[in-house]
Amino acid sequence: MKLVDLAAISRRHFFFFVDKCNKIYRSGHDLAFYRDLIAMHRETNNLAALIDDDDFLVKIYNTLEEWDMNKRGARMTSFAVLKESVKFWKNYLVELYDFKLYEDIDDKLTTINERLEKVFC
């Protein structure tokens, strides 16, 4: 069994690994930015509304910068381009959001892969 399969067995397993990652890998400002995003999500619990919220998108951009996504050969685009892209793919992102790692999604993998390929490529 692969580690990713183990993490996806249940919600409890998944959050066990999230907690380990947060304790070991992230700390300081980068973890604080991420926790702010999670708090915004919990308060709203509506991805479509969050995508329409410029403050949320700014926090995503800032979090990616804090995570050094603009280093080591990777180059982030401008915030304006990121915002335009996220809004363009909003319907697919909301659809993907409805799939849960801890649910049986084997019969939906083709759909998930098609959406992911469009959004990320």
Side-chain angles (χ1 to χ4, degrees):
M1 178 179 282
K2 295 178 183 177
L3 190 56
V4 69
D5 295 329
L6 181 61
I9 287 175
S10 70
R11 184 176 177 86
R12 184 178 56 81
H13 281 86
F14 177 74
F15 284 107
F16 168 81
F17 286 102
V18 168
D19 184 55
K20 287 290 183 196
C21 180
N22 286 342
K23 287 180 180 173
I24 296 168
Y25 184 63
R26 301 279 179 215
S27 62
H29 292 296
D30 53 351
L31 181 56
F33 274 68
Y34 176 71
R35 286 184 173 157
D36 287 346
L37 287 171
I38 297 301
M40 288 180 81
H41 176 262
R42 284 185 178 145
E43 289 171 15
T44 306
N45 201 23
N46 180 332
L47 184 61
L50 288 170
I51 289 172
D52 290 333
D53 182 348
D54 284 353
D55 289 337
F56 183 74
L57 296 177
V58 166
K59 283 188 186 288
I60 287 176
Y61 192 83
N62 291 338
T63 300
L64 292 172
E65 284 185 318
E66 285 291 320
W67 286 0
D68 293 330
M69 296 296 170
N70 206 23
K71 295 182 180 174
R72 297 183 296 268
R75 291 290 165 245
M76 287 179 55
T77 188
S78 70
F79 171 73
V81 171
L82 174 93
K83 177 181 170 180
E84 179 183 330
S85 179
V86 170
K87 289 184 181 276
F88 180 82
W89 293 107
K90 176 182 175 179
N91 291 338
Y92 279 166
L93 292 168
V94 169
E95 183 180 354
L96 285 165
Y97 175 78
D98 289 335
F99 295 109
K100 306 299 180 217
L101 290 175
Y102 53 85
E103 292 179 349
D104 183 13
I105 57 172
D106 289 339
D107 61 330
K108 301 170 188 154
L109 288 177
T110 300
T111 301
I112 292 169
N113 286 336
E114 288 171 357
R115 299 306 186 265
L116 286 172
E117 184 176 341
K118 288 182 182 204
V119 170
F120 288 102
C121 292

